Amino acid sequence: MSHRMKYWSRVPAFFQAQLKLTQAAKKGLGDDVLAELVVLRASQLNRCAFCIDMHVANLRAAGVEQRRIDLLPAWEEAGDLYSERERAALAFTEAVTVLTEGFVPDAVYERAAAQFDETELAHLLAVIVAINNWNRVNVTVRQPPGAEL
């Protein structure tokens, strides 16, 4: 597949706004590793090679065990490799990203709400929304892994 366009350079104001949106979302979550696991999982679901490459590198740089990175697609079957808080966030990420039933099921929302206070949950949702936006643009323009935005 070939790169379709250098999208982000064509919309610099939107790019800057997207960066600020992402920074604001992550800042309120207060857990950089959790945020990176969430954005990596959403990027895997959306098949965004650019974002997968970047967020795997970010997790490695943060010292996250390679096994936790490798097993992220199978987090539900990975035993206690992920905390209950992380599992709740990952379930919420999948429900918001995929919307297979057309909505986020109450059980998934309640599981996340049990692990995050309302402000944290709002920021978690913001992180998920932000990465889905990045993914949709990068997948559409076929942004190559490692390329400069």
Side-chain angles (χ1 to χ4, degrees):
M1 294 197 318
S2 61
H3 190 194
R4 291 178 170 159
M5 80 162 84
K6 292 186 176 188
Y7 178 82
W8 296 108
S9 65
R10 303 281 184 234
V11 290
F14 180 64
F15 176 69
Q16 290 304 314
Q18 180 67 26
L19 284 173
K20 288 180 182 178
L21 175 77
T22 302
Q23 291 166 350
K26 286 182 176 182
K27 183 178 180 181
L29 192 54
D31 183 338
D32 292 340
V33 169
L34 176 67
E36 286 296 324
L37 289 170
V38 163
V39 297
L40 176 56
R41 185 64 190 127
S43 298
Q44 290 169 337
L45 293 168
N46 289 323
R47 300 172 54 182
C48 182
F50 177 86
C51 292
I52 292 168
D53 183 56
M54 177 182 6
H55 297 295
V56 164
N58 290 349
L59 284 164
R60 285 182 183 141
V64 174
E65 180 186 1
Q66 187 63 44
R67 189 168 174 229
R68 284 175 33 92
I69 298 168
D70 293 343
L71 290 175
L72 190 59
W75 64 268
E76 289 177 290
E77 291 80 32
D80 62 356
L81 198 56
Y82 303 95
S83 70
E84 182 51 39
R85 184 173 167 93
E86 289 169 337
R87 288 192 297 266
L90 293 168
F92 192 58
T93 300
E94 291 182 358
V96 172
T97 298
V98 179
L99 292 174
T100 54
E101 297 178 32
F103 57 90
V104 174
D106 289 341
V108 173
Y109 185 89
E110 291 164 8
R111 180 180 183 185
Q115 294 295 319
F116 297 88
D117 67 32
E118 205 167 273
T119 300
E120 291 171 325
L121 187 58
H123 280 276
L124 176 60
L125 179 56
V127 168
I128 297 165
V129 168
I131 191 59
N132 274 281
N133 194 49
W134 285 109
N135 292 161
R136 278 153 179 72
V137 169
N138 288 333
V139 167
T140 300
V141 301
R142 296 182 178 159
Q143 184 70 24
E148 188 175 318
L149 292 178

